[in-house]
């Protein structure tokens, strides 16, 4: 029975390259799990995730007319959708943060101006 896109099957890793892993499917066909389909996180080295002869559950994501089979491991894993954390009541809004920043910035500028004026006016200008 030929593999169909969308099916999840059990396979065995038969080869590892720098761009993916080859997996033998139950019917003897071999498909490729591209490096981007290994895990949800960034995969720098496939050997950190898979070894030859490892059993893996894969999803068939494509079968092209030439017979090449595209597989995915990460699409078989149920991903838990995380809700954004509820905003805490004591958390300050963006507008409040911006207003506080502008006020602090203006106070610092006034302090710098006073300091510069004191330096200019305090020395006097002596001419002979």
């Amino acid at each position: 029975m030929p593999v169909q896109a969308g099916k999840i099957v059990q396979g065995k890793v038969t080869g590892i390259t720098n761009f993916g892993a080859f997996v033998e499917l139950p019917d003897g066909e071999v498909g490729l799990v591209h490096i981007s389909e290994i895990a949800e996180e960034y995969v720098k080295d496939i050997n950190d995730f898979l070894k030859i002869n490892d059993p893996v559950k894969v999803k068939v994501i494509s079968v092209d007319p030439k017979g090449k089979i595209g597989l995915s491991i990460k699409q078989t894993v149920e991903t838990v959708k995380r809700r954004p954390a509820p905003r805490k009541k004591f958390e300050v809004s963006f507008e409040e943060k911006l207003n506080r920043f502008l006020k602090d910035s203006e106070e610092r500028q006034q302090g710098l101006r006073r300091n510069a004026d004191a330096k200019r006016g305090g020395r006097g200008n002596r001419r002979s």
Side-chain angles (χ1 to χ4, degrees):
M1 179 176 151
V3 292
Q4 297 173 351
K7 282 187 130 182
I8 295 178
V9 295
Q10 193 69 26
K12 182 174 78 170
V13 177
T14 58
I16 295 177
T17 66
N18 59 350
F19 57 85
F22 291 98
V23 176
E24 183 178 350
L25 303 176
D27 59 358
E29 293 186 89
V30 176
L32 174 70
V33 180
H34 188 265
I35 191 169
S36 65
E37 293 292 330
I38 300 281
E40 285 292 326
E41 61 194 83
Y42 177 73
V43 178
K44 184 173 184 177
D45 185 9
I46 297 172
N47 292 304
D48 294 340
F49 293 84
L50 298 172
K51 304 287 181 235
I52 292 182
N53 292 325
D54 277 355
V56 290
K57 187 161 71 168
V58 293
K59 179 177 182 179
V60 179
I61 54 176
S62 67
V63 180
D64 76 359
K66 295 179 182 177
K68 291 184 181 179
I69 302 169
L71 304 172
S72 173
I73 294 173
K74 76 177 183 181
Q75 290 184 27
T76 63
V77 179
E78 290 291 324
T79 56
V80 177
K81 293 190 178 185
R82 297 181 185 156
R83 294 184 193 170
R87 189 170 165 196
K88 298 175 183 163
K89 292 183 181 180
F90 59 86
E91 193 172 303
V92 182
S93 72
F94 174 75
E95 288 80 14
E96 291 168 340
K97 288 179 183 179
L98 182 61
N99 288 335
R100 187 181 306 152
F101 170 77
L102 291 173
K103 181 182 172 192
D104 291 345
S105 179
E106 183 61 33
E107 289 173 358
R108 283 191 211 108
Q109 289 294 325
Q110 286 177 353
L112 290 171
R113 280 188 217 112
R114 271 187 252 127
N115 190 11
D117 290 343
K119 286 181 180 178
R120 267 188 249 132
R123 293 183 186 173
N125 205 3
R126 296 184 189 193
R127 293 186 182 175
S128 323

